[in-house]
Amino acid sequence: MKQPVTRITEDEVVEYLLALHESGASAAEMRAYLRSTQTEALGEPYLKLFQSFSDERERMAAPEADAKMLLSQMATPRIVTKRAVDRSFQGGERTRFSLSEVITYLTRMVSWKYAAPGLAMVGVLALSVWIFGGNEQRKVALEDQPLTKTTPSGAVSQKPTGNEGSAPALESVSPVPTAPKQGSVETTSDVESLALALLGSEGTESFTDEDQVLDVSADESLLDNDQMYDETLF
Amino acid sequence: MPQSLTEDTHKSSERGTTREDQAVFASLYQQYFTPLYRYVFSRIREREVAEDLVQKMFLKLYQVFLREGASAFTEAYLFVAARNALTDYFRKKKDIPFDAQDPQWQALPDTTMTAERHMEQQDRQSRLEEALAPLPVNEQEALRLKFFGDLSTGEIARVLGASEATVRQWQCRGLKHLRGNILNHSTL
């Protein structure tokens, strides 16, 4: 045992108690040390702490280490194959599938037995979409096409020639007049050609289906006509 | 990559069938199971989970044993493995608060004790755990490995990756903090 020391700090007591504990000293031996150094007041709480740890160890009641059971678990045959994809199919350890494994999986699942009808259905669908889609487009194109009509202002009348008796030929011109030829009208500037173009565009009118419906609500003369049908007149 | 791994496992499995290897591994298991279990249990506080965790850890270590032999299985190595297993466990199940009223914690009968002594011990142990929990991690670990894992200061230093002097300091401070925490509640 260590000889009594005049002044022992708490840290020194704890360190010494820890060293004694590690060397396997019993509680009685530790108490003897504390008594000999007159540090019972300092050291006694730590002895109780050691006792608490000791009680805790007992309380933990570790189960018996059954090596036979562990060995039997290790001896359980495990399916070990070379390919991870096989291992996952056979109920072994799960792995995260890589792209190649997914492709392998899909190629296994796909067979012509299922693929042929599937492809046929897709083909029929595509064909029907193509046919009906084409018809719809054609209908829309026809509906949207503007009707053109020539008007006298836009028409360029021919000067009477020698054949006065024959019916004048109606010439249809393009709504946008072509630019004058440099050789025929030499003095025409760009401004004039633009003005001509605007004048030419005035001569065309486009009619849509909406225009075919006659709006009579705003026609006051029609209202007046209605008033004429007075019963007193008959 | 997976191919070579599985082939390696396969070869190991073939090697592992020798009775001599199994006997050596079984003796290591029996020698270290209890301290490892106590240490793991002190962290988890669930008997079945702790037992399962230690067994699984040994099953994993069996492959290491077959590759490198029994010489690799030092106490420090096993406790480092246990700490890693605990880290994985807590990562998977993030919040496992210690509940002193948990039936698992209460239902460990000791027929050799009187009821009064049993209650006194229960009270003291729960207070011990409550006092241990707020300690810094290093101090907690130094004390758990010492008192539950039965490790020497040198082995604890290897497990925690610190010097022996540092570990002694952690233990000393930890005990003082523990005493202070218990005194805050009542006298021990």
Side-chain angles (χ1 to χ4, degrees):
Chain A
M1 279 293 131
K2 197 176 177 181
Q3 291 300 315
V5 186
T6 49
R7 286 187 66 175
I8 299 177
T9 62
E10 188 177 355
D11 283 355
E12 286 170 336
V13 170
V14 175
E15 277 180 28
Y16 201 80
L17 286 176
L18 279 168
L20 282 175
H21 186 271
E22 192 167 324
S23 66
S26 65
E29 286 170 338
M30 290 185 204
R31 277 203 178 86
Y33 160 76
L34 293 175
R35 226 176 290 125
S36 65
T37 54
Q38 296 175 347
T39 52
E40 288 164 298
L42 278 177
E44 193 59 34
Y46 295 102
L47 288 185
K48 287 187 176 177
L49 272 179
F50 289 171
Q51 186 57 44
S52 293
F53 276 112
S54 176
D55 291 346
E56 179 81 359
R57 281 164 55 96
E58 285 173 20
R59 189 182 165 76
M60 283 175 175
E64 196 179 339
D66 193 353
K68 281 183 183 174
M69 194 180 75
L70 187 79
L71 290 172
S72 69
Q73 280 185 12
M74 289 189 298
T76 306
R78 294 172 68 193
I79 299 166
V80 179
T81 57
K82 288 184 176 180
R83 297 174 64 185
V85 68
D86 289 337
R87 193 164 72 241
S88 62
F89 286 146
Q90 290 168 1
E93 53 185 289
R94 300 292 300 175
T95 54
R96 187 173 289 175
F97 294 119
S98 67
L99 182 65
S100 63
E101 287 166 354
V102 170
I103 290 168
T104 312
Y105 173 78
L106 288 174
T107 49
R108 279 186 182 190
M109 296 308 288
V110 169
S111 74
W112 286 109
K113 186 179 168 186
Y114 304 109
L119 282 174
M121 279 184 67
V122 169
V124 168
L125 260 173
L127 192 67
S128 58
V129 166
W130 180 67
I131 289 168
F132 290 110
N135 280 347
E136 282 295 312
Q137 273 185 345
R138 224 170 293 139
K139 250 188 223 176
V140 170
L142 282 171
E143 284 170 2
D144 288 350
Q145 192 175 8
L147 298 171
T148 56
K149 179 189 169 187
T150 56
T151 60
S153 64
V156 178
S157 60
Q158 276 188 329
K159 285 184 179 179
T161 57
N163 314 332
E164 301 247 34
S166 61
L170 189 64
E171 190 184 346
S172 173
V173 295
S174 168
V176 181
T178 54
K181 286 176 185 174
Q182 208 167 6
S184 59
V185 188
E186 289 179 3
T187 56
T188 311
S189 65
D190 289 343
V191 178
E192 285 171 343
S193 64
L194 184 62
L196 278 170
L198 285 170
L199 282 170
S201 66
E202 279 177 3
T204 61
E205 285 179 39
S206 60
F207 292 89
T208 59
D209 288 345
E210 289 173 5
D211 295 328
Q212 291 174 3
V213 180
L214 184 63
D215 185 10
V216 295
S217 60
D219 197 342
E220 289 181 4
S221 62
L222 283 175
L223 290 174
D224 292 341
N225 289 339
D226 288 340
Q227 283 173 0
M228 286 172 69
Y229 288 100
D230 196 345
E231 287 180 356
T232 54
L233 296 174
F234 298 98
Chain B
M1 184 78 150
Q3 191 172 337
S4 63
L5 188 70
T6 49
E7 279 175 355
D8 185 39
T9 310
H10 191 60
K11 282 175 191 170
S12 300
S13 302
E14 283 176 352
R15 278 189 56 208
T17 52
T18 60
R19 285 186 182 280
E20 194 181 335
D21 280 346
Q22 285 188 354
V24 173
F25 190 73
S27 69
L28 283 169
Y29 177 71
Q30 280 181 327
Q31 185 182 349
Y32 293 116
F33 177 83
T34 304
L36 282 165
Y37 167 83
R38 277 200 301 255
Y39 168 68
V40 171
F41 179 81
S42 78
R43 295 277 307 273
I44 293 181
R45 315 303 309 180
E46 286 183 65
R47 188 188 168 93
E48 285 83 7
V49 178
E51 193 177 343
D52 193 43
L53 206 69
V54 176
Q55 278 188 352
K56 279 182 181 170
M57 189 190 87
F58 269 100
L59 283 171
K60 284 182 185 172
L61 289 176
Y62 187 57
Q63 301 301 327
V64 180
F65 169 77
L66 291 174
R67 273 201 305 273
E68 299 180 20
S71 59
F73 278 58
T74 60
E75 276 189 309
Y77 177 83
L78 288 171
F79 275 88
V80 167
R83 275 165 60 84
N84 291 341
L86 279 168
T87 307
D88 285 346
Y89 171 78
F90 284 121
R91 197 177 290 151
K92 284 176 188 167
K93 189 179 178 181
K94 283 194 174 173
D95 47 351
I96 307 176
F98 167 69
D99 182 8
Q101 304 304 318
D102 193 303
Q104 189 68 45
W105 170 247
Q106 308 274 339
L108 292 170
D110 186 351
T111 52
T112 59
M113 284 191 286
T114 62
E116 193 179 341
R117 167 88 176 116
H118 185 69
M119 283 178 69
E120 186 190 332
Q121 196 190 34
Q122 268 192 353
D123 184 44
R124 187 181 294 177
Q125 282 156 356
S126 61
R127 271 192 286 148
L128 178 70
E129 187 56 47
E130 280 175 18
L132 200 57
L135 259 60
V137 177
N138 286 333
E139 293 175 13
Q140 270 192 54
E141 285 294 281
L143 292 176
R144 285 184 202 277
L145 289 168
K146 178 178 175 57
F147 290 106
F148 303 137
D150 290 338
L151 294 187
S152 66
T153 308
E155 285 161 343
I156 295 170
R158 277 190 286 279
V159 172
L160 299 180
S163 68
E164 287 189 30
T166 309
V167 170
R168 269 191 221 104
Q169 204 175 10
W170 284 339
Q171 286 175 343
C172 188
R173 280 186 195 166
L175 281 175
K176 286 174 80 174
H177 285 151
L178 201 58
R179 184 192 166 216
N181 289 346
I182 289 172
L183 281 174
N184 282 343
H185 288 88
S186 61
T187 53
L188 191 70

